Amino acid sequence: MTVSDRGGKPPLSESRIPKLLILGAIGIAILGLILLGNWQLRRLDWKLALIERVESRAVATPVSAPTAVAWPGITRESEEYRRVVIRGQFLHKLETLVWALTERGNGYWVLTPLLTATGETILINRGYIPVAAANPAQRGAGQIDGEVPVTGLLRISEPGGILLRDNDPAAERWYSRDVDAIARARKLVNAAPYFIDADDTANPGGLPIGGLTRRSYRNAHLVYALTWYGLALLLAALTLRVIWLERKERARDG
């Protein structure tokens, strides 16, 4: 009595098992590519919401900069790029020059502590200066005295440095606007955990130059999503093509 006579199914031939395993692996790969495409679409929604939030904050009517009581709750999502205003007196002798690459070329950001009437200290990125103006004596007109208002965008600290370049406080080499490290190096008291990028209000003597905050975001998530979906479709098409050619060859061989 044969297997068919007993009502059972014939066992898989040894030659079919590897093919089924390969087809299963291909199916998993196609599913993975589709899931990657779906993830990129979710990232696209997130990025568009982020851009909308940043742009709306940056052009809104300025609000008072967060005071010490609100500092613990400040996050990148809740406050960054919010347009704020604050009043205080610049501590020019404690300024820090941070390496900058801008549309105006290489130079420095001038980060100067601003002391408020309530004893809080906020680092203000007053703007860009060229390398030749690194000495404060060359831009004395811009060393404003007395209490002044500052309007700008709230920014979150940039700890550590940049790619391949770490901040070196002891050598006065700064590559990122690391609020905590600068506060420690300058022995600032009651320092805010954020800094403010000053707007383009002109400073006496023309330096520093404010209003150079970059608000551009790389947004290639749609391209990535289409790439993953395209690879999934291509892999599926190639698999079907191979299956069709194999069946055609078996039918010809009889």
Side-chain angles (χ1 to χ4, degrees):
M1 181 180 294
T2 64
V3 174
S4 298
D5 294 335
R6 293 196 302 265
K9 295 182 179 179
L12 291 174
S13 66
E14 293 183 0
S15 63
R16 291 184 62 192
I17 293 177
K19 295 178 181 178
L20 291 175
L21 291 175
I22 293 173
L23 287 176
I26 291 174
I28 293 173
I30 292 173
L31 177 60
L33 291 170
I34 293 173
L35 291 176
L36 284 171
N38 293 343
W39 177 71
Q40 286 294 343
L41 289 182
R42 291 194 296 271
R43 292 283 294 174
L44 175 63
D45 290 339
W46 169 81
K47 183 61 69 67
L48 292 175
L50 172 65
I51 293 172
E52 182 180 1
R53 182 171 70 244
V54 167
E55 292 303 316
S56 62
R57 287 177 180 176
V59 298
T61 302
V63 298
S64 297
T67 56
V69 68
W71 292 349
I74 292 176
T75 65
R76 190 177 302 276
E77 291 75 18
S78 67
E79 298 297 333
E80 188 164 39
Y81 294 103
R82 192 176 300 281
R83 194 162 176 242
V84 297
V85 62
I86 194 168
R87 294 187 65 88
Q89 183 174 354
F90 282 119
L91 306 178
H92 294 292
K93 291 183 179 180
L94 299 179
E95 75 175 21
T96 300
L97 301 184
V98 180
W99 179 83
L101 177 61
T102 74
E103 60 196 49
R104 294 175 177 265
N106 293 333
Y108 300 103
W109 299 120
V110 179
L111 267 68
T112 307
L114 184 81
L115 181 62
T116 69
T118 55
E120 297 165 339
T121 308
I122 292 88
L123 281 177
I124 306 297
N125 177 16
R126 301 189 62 208
Y128 163 85
I129 59 170
V131 174
N135 189 336
Q138 296 178 291
R139 43 188 168 84
Q143 307 289 297
I144 307 169
D145 292 326
E147 188 175 82
V148 294
V150 174
T151 300
L153 302 181
L154 188 150
R155 302 294 308 280
I156 302 300
S157 180
E158 303 166 346
I162 59 175
L163 184 65
L164 302 180
R165 292 185 179 182
D166 294 331
N167 292 329
D168 187 353
E172 283 300 319
R173 295 192 183 97
W174 299 93
Y175 300 101
S176 72
R177 292 162 291 191
D178 189 333
V179 172
D180 291 338
I182 293 174
R184 288 195 300 270
R186 298 294 179 262
K187 297 180 172 58
L188 302 180
V189 178
N190 201 20
Y194 60 86
F195 66 95
I196 296 174
D197 274 346
D199 65 10
D200 58 359
T201 300
N203 287 302
L207 294 176
I209 302 171
L212 298 180
T213 305
R214 289 184 180 179
R215 300 201 306 272
S216 60
Y217 288 89
R218 188 168 182 269
N219 185 11
H221 297 298
L222 181 58
V223 173
Y224 293 151
L226 293 176
T227 299
W228 292 126
Y229 289 143
L231 288 174
L233 181 61
L234 178 61
L235 183 56
L238 289 175
T239 302
L240 292 175
R241 174 69 173 173
V242 170
I243 293 173
W244 179 78
L245 288 176
E246 183 181 4
R247 289 185 174 181
K248 183 178 180 182
E249 184 177 351
R250 279 192 296 174
R252 186 179 63 246
D253 294 340

PDB file of all heavy atoms in Angstrom, residues 130-165:
ATOM      1  N   PRO A 130      34.873  87.331  12.888  1.00  0.00           N
ATOM      2  CA  PRO A 130      35.936  86.669  12.132  1.00  0.00           C
ATOM      3  C   PRO A 130      37.139  86.395  13.036  1.00  0.00           C
ATOM      4  O   PRO A 130      37.265  86.973  14.118  1.00  0.00           O
ATOM      5  CB  PRO A 130      36.275  87.687  11.039  1.00  0.00           C
ATOM      6  CG  PRO A 130      35.855  89.003  11.600  1.00  0.00           C
ATOM      7  CD  PRO A 130      34.674  88.737  12.470  1.00  0.00           C
ATOM      8  N   VAL A 131      37.997  85.513  12.587  1.00  0.00           N
ATOM      9  CA  VAL A 131      39.174  85.138  13.379  1.00  0.00           C
ATOM     10  C   VAL A 131      40.016  86.365  13.720  1.00  0.00           C
ATOM     11  O   VAL A 131      40.551  86.483  14.829  1.00  0.00           O
ATOM     12  CB  VAL A 131      40.015  84.101  12.615  1.00  0.00           C
ATOM     13  CG1 VAL A 131      41.318  83.811  13.346  1.00  0.00           C
ATOM     14  CG2 VAL A 131      39.216  82.817  12.412  1.00  0.00           C
ATOM     15  N   ALA A 132      40.101  87.305  12.792  1.00  0.00           N
ATOM     16  CA  ALA A 132      40.936  88.492  13.009  1.00  0.00           C
ATOM     17  C   ALA A 132      40.427  89.374  14.139  1.00  0.00           C
ATOM     18  O   ALA A 132      41.171  90.221  14.647  1.00  0.00           O
ATOM     19  CB  ALA A 132      41.012  89.310  11.710  1.00  0.00           C
ATOM     20  N   ALA A 133      39.175  89.194  14.537  1.00  0.00           N
ATOM     21  CA  ALA A 133      38.598  90.028  15.602  1.00  0.00           C
ATOM     22  C   ALA A 133      38.511  89.291  16.928  1.00  0.00           C
ATOM     23  O   ALA A 133      37.734  89.662  17.807  1.00  0.00           O
ATOM     24  CB  ALA A 133      37.219  90.521  15.181  1.00  0.00           C
ATOM     25  N   ALA A 134      39.319  88.249  17.099  1.00  0.00           N
ATOM     26  CA  ALA A 134      39.261  87.457  18.327  1.00  0.00           C
ATOM     27  C   ALA A 134      39.629  88.280  19.556  1.00  0.00           C
ATOM     28  O   ALA A 134      39.068  88.083  20.638  1.00  0.00           O
ATOM     29  CB  ALA A 134      40.178  86.247  18.207  1.00  0.00           C
ATOM     30  N   ASN A 135      40.544  89.216  19.414  1.00  0.00           N
ATOM     31  CA  ASN A 135      40.944  90.064  20.541  1.00  0.00           C
ATOM     32  C   ASN A 135      39.829  91.068  20.846  1.00  0.00           C
ATOM     33  O   ASN A 135      39.451  91.865  19.988  1.00  0.00           O
ATOM     34  CB  ASN A 135      42.234  90.806  20.188  1.00  0.00           C
ATOM     35  CG  ASN A 135      42.821  91.528  21.380  1.00  0.00           C
ATOM     36  OD1 ASN A 135      42.116  91.860  22.341  1.00  0.00           O
ATOM     37  ND2 ASN A 135      44.122  91.790  21.340  1.00  0.00           N
ATOM     38  N   PRO A 136      39.298  91.062  22.080  1.00  0.00           N
ATOM     39  CA  PRO A 136      38.208  91.990  22.420  1.00  0.00           C
ATOM     40  C   PRO A 136      38.565  93.457  22.189  1.00  0.00           C
ATOM     41  O   PRO A 136      37.669  94.280  21.931  1.00  0.00           O
ATOM     42  CB  PRO A 136      37.957  91.717  23.901  1.00  0.00           C
ATOM     43  CG  PRO A 136      38.468  90.340  24.129  1.00  0.00           C
ATOM     44  CD  PRO A 136      39.634  90.189  23.211  1.00  0.00           C
ATOM     45  N   ALA A 137      39.854  93.795  22.268  1.00  0.00           N
ATOM     46  CA  ALA A 137      40.264  95.181  22.075  1.00  0.00           C
ATOM     47  C   ALA A 137      39.961  95.667  20.661  1.00  0.00           C
ATOM     48  O   ALA A 137      39.806  96.877  20.429  1.00  0.00           O
ATOM     49  CB  ALA A 137      41.760  95.330  22.367  1.00  0.00           C
ATOM     50  N   GLN A 138      39.827  94.730  19.707  1.00  0.00           N
ATOM     51  CA  GLN A 138      39.560  95.099  18.325  1.00  0.00           C
ATOM     52  C   GLN A 138      38.076  95.336  18.061  1.00  0.00           C
ATOM     53  O   GLN A 138      37.715  95.731  16.960  1.00  0.00           O
ATOM     54  CB  GLN A 138      40.097  94.021  17.388  1.00  0.00           C
ATOM     55  CG  GLN A 138      41.617  93.860  17.447  1.00  0.00           C
ATOM     56  CD  GLN A 138      42.088  92.742  16.542  1.00  0.00           C
ATOM     57  OE1 GLN A 138      41.839  91.565  16.803  1.00  0.00           O
ATOM     58  NE2 GLN A 138      42.758  93.101  15.458  1.00  0.00           N
ATOM     59  N   ARG A 139      37.246  95.082  19.052  1.00  0.00           N
ATOM     60  CA  ARG A 139      35.800  95.294  18.911  1.00  0.00           C
ATOM     61  C   ARG A 139      35.238  95.915  20.193  1.00  0.00           C
ATOM     62  O   ARG A 139      34.175  95.547  20.684  1.00  0.00           O
ATOM     63  CB  ARG A 139      35.099  93.968  18.588  1.00  0.00           C
ATOM     64  CG  ARG A 139      35.579  92.791  19.397  1.00  0.00           C
ATOM     65  CD  ARG A 139      34.989  91.462  18.910  1.00  0.00           C
ATOM     66  NE  ARG A 139      35.678  90.332  19.526  1.00  0.00           N
ATOM     67  CZ  ARG A 139      35.406  89.828  20.721  1.00  0.00           C
ATOM     68  NH1 ARG A 139      34.406  90.351  21.440  1.00  0.00           N
ATOM     69  NH2 ARG A 139      36.089  88.812  21.206  1.00  0.00           N
ATOM     70  N   GLY A 140      35.995  96.880  20.689  1.00  0.00           N
ATOM     71  CA  GLY A 140      35.614  97.524  21.938  1.00  0.00           C
ATOM     72  C   GLY A 140      34.259  98.202  21.877  1.00  0.00           C
ATOM     73  O   GLY A 140      33.541  98.260  22.888  1.00  0.00           O
ATOM     74  N   ALA A 141      33.883  98.711  20.705  1.00  0.00           N
ATOM     75  CA  ALA A 141      32.593  99.410  20.601  1.00  0.00           C
ATOM     76  C   ALA A 141      31.429  98.477  20.898  1.00  0.00           C
ATOM     77  O   ALA A 141      30.369  98.916  21.354  1.00  0.00           O
ATOM     78  CB  ALA A 141      32.443 100.009  19.205  1.00  0.00           C
ATOM     79  N   GLY A 142      31.634  97.177  20.653  1.00  0.00           N
ATOM     80  CA  GLY A 142      30.561  96.221  20.878  1.00  0.00           C
ATOM     81  C   GLY A 142      30.464  95.707  22.306  1.00  0.00           C
ATOM     82  O   GLY A 142      29.556  94.936  22.618  1.00  0.00           O
ATOM     83  N   GLN A 143      31.373  96.156  23.182  1.00  0.00           N
ATOM     84  CA  GLN A 143      31.343  95.743  24.585  1.00  0.00           C
ATOM     85  C   GLN A 143      30.368  96.653  25.339  1.00  0.00           C
ATOM     86  O   GLN A 143      30.756  97.595  26.026  1.00  0.00           O
ATOM     87  CB  GLN A 143      32.743  95.825  25.191  1.00  0.00           C
ATOM     88  CG  GLN A 143      33.807  95.082  24.399  1.00  0.00           C
ATOM     89  CD  GLN A 143      33.668  93.572  24.485  1.00  0.00           C
ATOM     90  OE1 GLN A 143      33.790  92.985  25.542  1.00  0.00           O
ATOM     91  NE2 GLN A 143      33.404  92.951  23.348  1.00  0.00           N
ATOM     92  N   ILE A 144      29.106  96.370  25.208  1.00  0.00           N
ATOM     93  CA  ILE A 144      28.049  97.242  25.725  1.00  0.00           C
ATOM     94  C   ILE A 144      28.019  97.204  27.248  1.00  0.00           C
ATOM     95  O   ILE A 144      28.065  96.140  27.854  1.00  0.00           O
ATOM     96  CB  ILE A 144      26.680  96.808  25.161  1.00  0.00           C
ATOM     97  CG1 ILE A 144      26.739  96.732  23.632  1.00  0.00           C
ATOM     98  CG2 ILE A 144      25.587  97.749  25.605  1.00  0.00           C
ATOM     99  CD1 ILE A 144      25.525  96.074  23.015  1.00  0.00           C
ATOM    100  N   ASP A 145      27.933  98.383  27.858  1.00  0.00           N
ATOM    101  CA  ASP A 145      27.843  98.488  29.313  1.00  0.00           C
ATOM    102  C   ASP A 145      26.396  98.723  29.741  1.00  0.00           C
ATOM    103  O   ASP A 145      25.549  99.159  28.955  1.00  0.00           O
ATOM    104  CB  ASP A 145      28.712  99.655  29.821  1.00  0.00           C
ATOM    105  CG  ASP A 145      30.204  99.378  29.631  1.00  0.00           C
ATOM    106  OD1 ASP A 145      30.595  98.198  29.753  1.00  0.00           O
ATOM    107  OD2 ASP A 145      30.959 100.329  29.348  1.00  0.00           O
ATOM    108  N   GLY A 146      26.141  98.462  31.031  1.00  0.00           N
ATOM    109  CA  GLY A 146      24.822  98.731  31.585  1.00  0.00           C
ATOM    110  C   GLY A 146      23.813  97.640  31.249  1.00  0.00           C
ATOM    111  O   GLY A 146      24.095  96.701  30.506  1.00  0.00           O
ATOM    112  N   GLU A 147      22.628  97.789  31.788  1.00  0.00           N
ATOM    113  CA  GLU A 147      21.572  96.801  31.566  1.00  0.00           C
ATOM    114  C   GLU A 147      20.994  96.964  30.167  1.00  0.00           C
ATOM    115  O   GLU A 147      20.654  98.078  29.752  1.00  0.00           O
ATOM    116  CB  GLU A 147      20.477  96.948  32.615  1.00  0.00           C
ATOM    117  CG  GLU A 147      19.447  95.823  32.546  1.00  0.00           C
ATOM    118  CD  GLU A 147      18.423  95.905  33.662  1.00  0.00           C
ATOM    119  OE1 GLU A 147      17.459  96.694  33.511  1.00  0.00           O
ATOM    120  OE2 GLU A 147      18.583  95.197  34.666  1.00  0.00           O
ATOM    121  N   VAL A 148      20.880  95.859  29.468  1.00  0.00           N
ATOM    122  CA  VAL A 148      20.374  95.885  28.094  1.00  0.00           C
ATOM    123  C   VAL A 148      19.370  94.751  27.905  1.00  0.00           C
ATOM    124  O   VAL A 148      19.434  93.722  28.577  1.00  0.00           O
ATOM    125  CB  VAL A 148      21.514  95.736  27.070  1.00  0.00           C
ATOM    126  CG1 VAL A 148      22.446  96.927  27.117  1.00  0.00           C
ATOM    127  CG2 VAL A 148      22.281  94.433  27.302  1.00  0.00           C
ATOM    128  N   PRO A 149      18.429  94.913  26.974  1.00  0.00           N
ATOM    129  CA  PRO A 149      17.538  93.796  26.618  1.00  0.00           C
ATOM    130  C   PRO A 149      18.181  92.950  25.538  1.00  0.00           C
ATOM    131  O   PRO A 149      18.885  93.463  24.665  1.00  0.00           O
ATOM    132  CB  PRO A 149      16.290  94.511  26.102  1.00  0.00           C
ATOM    133  CG  PRO A 149      16.819  95.780  25.509  1.00  0.00           C
ATOM    134  CD  PRO A 149      18.027  96.173  26.313  1.00  0.00           C
ATOM    135  N   VAL A 150      17.940  91.670  25.581  1.00  0.00           N
ATOM    136  CA  VAL A 150      18.428  90.748  24.548  1.00  0.00           C
ATOM    137  C   VAL A 150      17.256  89.898  24.081  1.00  0.00           C
ATOM    138  O   VAL A 150      16.554  89.286  24.896  1.00  0.00           O
ATOM    139  CB  VAL A 150      19.548  89.837  25.081  1.00  0.00           C
ATOM    140  CG1 VAL A 150      19.927  88.807  24.019  1.00  0.00           C
ATOM    141  CG2 VAL A 150      20.759  90.651  25.495  1.00  0.00           C
ATOM    142  N   THR A 151      17.055  89.878  22.784  1.00  0.00           N
ATOM    143  CA  THR A 151      16.019  89.028  22.192  1.00  0.00           C
ATOM    144  C   THR A 151      16.693  88.000  21.302  1.00  0.00           C
ATOM    145  O   THR A 151      17.632  88.327  20.560  1.00  0.00           O
ATOM    146  CB  THR A 151      15.036  89.862  21.349  1.00  0.00           C
ATOM    147  OG1 THR A 151      14.415  90.844  22.185  1.00  0.00           O
ATOM    148  CG2 THR A 151      13.952  88.976  20.753  1.00  0.00           C
ATOM    149  N   GLY A 152      16.237  86.768  21.394  1.00  0.00           N
ATOM    150  CA  GLY A 152      16.839  85.723  20.578  1.00  0.00           C
ATOM    151  C   GLY A 152      16.133  84.403  20.739  1.00  0.00           C
ATOM    152  O   GLY A 152      15.016  84.333  21.258  1.00  0.00           O
ATOM    153  N   LEU A 153      16.799  83.347  20.292  1.00  0.00           N
ATOM    154  CA  LEU A 153      16.221  82.001  20.310  1.00  0.00           C
ATOM    155  C   LEU A 153      16.876  81.167  21.400  1.00  0.00           C
ATOM    156  O   LEU A 153      18.109  81.104  21.496  1.00  0.00           O
ATOM    157  CB  LEU A 153      16.409  81.321  18.960  1.00  0.00           C
ATOM    158  CG  LEU A 153      15.820  82.048  17.753  1.00  0.00           C
ATOM    159  CD1 LEU A 153      16.061  81.236  16.484  1.00  0.00           C
ATOM    160  CD2 LEU A 153      14.334  82.315  17.941  1.00  0.00           C
ATOM    161  N   LEU A 154      16.037  80.527  22.211  1.00  0.00           N
ATOM    162  CA  LEU A 154      16.559  79.665  23.263  1.00  0.00           C
ATOM    163  C   LEU A 154      17.148  78.406  22.636  1.00  0.00           C
ATOM    164  O   LEU A 154      16.532  77.763  21.800  1.00  0.00           O
ATOM    165  CB  LEU A 154      15.443  79.311  24.243  1.00  0.00           C
ATOM    166  CG  LEU A 154      15.837  78.556  25.514  1.00  0.00           C
ATOM    167  CD1 LEU A 154      14.881  78.918  26.654  1.00  0.00           C
ATOM    168  CD2 LEU A 154      15.846  77.041  25.308  1.00  0.00           C
ATOM    169  N   ARG A 155      18.359  78.073  23.056  1.00  0.00           N
ATOM    170  CA  ARG A 155      19.043  76.900  22.521  1.00  0.00           C
ATOM    171  C   ARG A 155      19.474  75.975  23.651  1.00  0.00           C
ATOM    172  O   ARG A 155      19.778  76.421  24.752  1.00  0.00           O
ATOM    173  CB  ARG A 155      20.278  77.322  21.710  1.00  0.00           C
ATOM    174  CG  ARG A 155      19.993  78.269  20.537  1.00  0.00           C
ATOM    175  CD  ARG A 155      19.172  77.595  19.456  1.00  0.00           C
ATOM    176  NE  ARG A 155      19.764  76.338  19.042  1.00  0.00           N
ATOM    177  CZ  ARG A 155      20.789  76.246  18.191  1.00  0.00           C
ATOM    178  NH1 ARG A 155      21.307  77.345  17.661  1.00  0.00           N
ATOM    179  NH2 ARG A 155      21.273  75.070  17.852  1.00  0.00           N
ATOM    180  N   ILE A 156      19.546  74.706  23.348  1.00  0.00           N
ATOM    181  CA  ILE A 156      19.951  73.704  24.319  1.00  0.00           C
ATOM    182  C   ILE A 156      21.456  73.461  24.213  1.00  0.00           C
ATOM    183  O   ILE A 156      22.051  73.550  23.140  1.00  0.00           O
ATOM    184  CB  ILE A 156      19.187  72.389  24.082  1.00  0.00           C
ATOM    185  CG1 ILE A 156      17.679  72.638  24.160  1.00  0.00           C
ATOM    186  CG2 ILE A 156      19.590  71.325  25.105  1.00  0.00           C
ATOM    187  CD1 ILE A 156      17.188  73.179  25.480  1.00  0.00           C
ATOM    188  N   SER A 157      22.082  73.170  25.344  1.00  0.00           N
ATOM    189  CA  SER A 157      23.525  72.957  25.414  1.00  0.00           C
ATOM    190  C   SER A 157      24.006  71.927  24.410  1.00  0.00           C
ATOM    191  O   SER A 157      23.292  70.970  24.065  1.00  0.00           O
ATOM    192  CB  SER A 157      23.904  72.526  26.832  1.00  0.00           C
ATOM    193  OG  SER A 157      25.299  72.318  26.943  1.00  0.00           O
ATOM    194  N   GLU A 158      25.247  72.106  23.950  1.00  0.00           N
ATOM    195  CA  GLU A 158      25.889  71.190  22.999  1.00  0.00           C
ATOM    196  C   GLU A 158      27.121  70.581  23.669  1.00  0.00           C
ATOM    197  O   GLU A 158      28.243  71.052  23.470  1.00  0.00           O
ATOM    198  CB  GLU A 158      26.292  71.947  21.728  1.00  0.00           C
ATOM    199  CG  GLU A 158      25.127  72.643  21.044  1.00  0.00           C
ATOM    200  CD  GLU A 158      25.577  73.663  20.005  1.00  0.00           C
ATOM    201  OE1 GLU A 158      26.772  74.040  19.992  1.00  0.00           O
ATOM    202  OE2 GLU A 158      24.726  74.088  19.213  1.00  0.00           O
ATOM    203  N   PRO A 159      26.953  69.558  24.472  1.00  0.00           N
ATOM    204  CA  PRO A 159      28.060  69.059  25.295  1.00  0.00           C
ATOM    205  C   PRO A 159      29.140  68.341  24.499  1.00  0.00           C
ATOM    206  O   PRO A 159      28.880  67.750  23.451  1.00  0.00           O
ATOM    207  CB  PRO A 159      27.362  68.087  26.259  1.00  0.00           C
ATOM    208  CG  PRO A 159      26.130  67.659  25.542  1.00  0.00           C
ATOM    209  CD  PRO A 159      25.693  68.834  24.719  1.00  0.00           C
ATOM    210  N   GLY A 160      30.359  68.426  25.015  1.00  0.00           N
ATOM    211  CA  GLY A 160      31.457  67.597  24.523  1.00  0.00           C
ATOM    212  C   GLY A 160      32.324  68.195  23.446  1.00  0.00           C
ATOM    213  O   GLY A 160      33.531  68.248  23.566  1.00  0.00           O
ATOM    214  N   GLY A 161      31.734  68.646  22.374  1.00  0.00           N
ATOM    215  CA  GLY A 161      32.497  69.139  21.241  1.00  0.00           C
ATOM    216  C   GLY A 161      31.815  68.748  19.947  1.00  0.00           C
ATOM    217  O   GLY A 161      30.602  68.589  19.891  1.00  0.00           O
ATOM    218  N   ILE A 162      32.612  68.571  18.890  1.00  0.00           N
ATOM    219  CA  ILE A 162      32.085  68.159  17.603  1.00  0.00           C
ATOM    220  C   ILE A 162      32.855  66.930  17.138  1.00  0.00           C
ATOM    221  O   ILE A 162      33.769  66.456  17.821  1.00  0.00           O
ATOM    222  CB  ILE A 162      32.187  69.284  16.551  1.00  0.00           C
ATOM    223  CG1 ILE A 162      33.647  69.718  16.362  1.00  0.00           C
ATOM    224  CG2 ILE A 162      31.339  70.464  16.953  1.00  0.00           C
ATOM    225  CD1 ILE A 162      33.853  70.741  15.271  1.00  0.00           C
ATOM    226  N   LEU A 163      32.487  66.389  15.995  1.00  0.00           N
ATOM    227  CA  LEU A 163      33.128  65.195  15.467  1.00  0.00           C
ATOM    228  C   LEU A 163      34.635  65.409  15.349  1.00  0.00           C
ATOM    229  O   LEU A 163      35.088  66.368  14.718  1.00  0.00           O
ATOM    230  CB  LEU A 163      32.528  64.843  14.105  1.00  0.00           C
ATOM    231  CG  LEU A 163      33.036  63.556  13.449  1.00  0.00           C
ATOM    232  CD1 LEU A 163      32.643  62.348  14.291  1.00  0.00           C
ATOM    233  CD2 LEU A 163      32.484  63.428  12.032  1.00  0.00           C
ATOM    234  N   LEU A 164      35.393  64.530  15.991  1.00  0.00           N
ATOM    235  CA  LEU A 164      36.860  64.516  15.962  1.00  0.00           C
ATOM    236  C   LEU A 164      37.500  65.680  16.710  1.00  0.00           C
ATOM    237  O   LEU A 164      38.731  65.790  16.740  1.00  0.00           O
ATOM    238  CB  LEU A 164      37.386  64.506  14.510  1.00  0.00           C
ATOM    239  CG  LEU A 164      36.916  63.343  13.633  1.00  0.00           C
ATOM    240  CD1 LEU A 164      37.513  63.477  12.236  1.00  0.00           C
ATOM    241  CD2 LEU A 164      37.289  62.011  14.245  1.00  0.00           C
ATOM    242  N   ARG A 165      36.690  66.527  17.350  1.00  0.00           N
ATOM    243  CA  ARG A 165      37.255  67.644  18.112  1.00  0.00           C
ATOM    244  C   ARG A 165      36.501  67.808  19.427  1.00  0.00           C
ATOM    245  O   ARG A 165      35.311  68.144  19.418  1.00  0.00           O
ATOM    246  CB  ARG A 165      37.178  68.958  17.316  1.00  0.00           C
ATOM    247  CG  ARG A 165      38.085  68.997  16.098  1.00  0.00           C
ATOM    248  CD  ARG A 165      38.057  70.360  15.430  1.00  0.00           C
ATOM    249  NE  ARG A 165      38.936  70.429  14.274  1.00  0.00           N
ATOM    250  CZ  ARG A 165      39.131  71.517  13.544  1.00  0.00           C
ATOM    251  NH1 ARG A 165      38.481  72.643  13.845  1.00  0.00           N
ATOM    252  NH2 ARG A 165      39.948  71.508  12.517  1.00  0.00           N
TER     253      ARG A 165
END
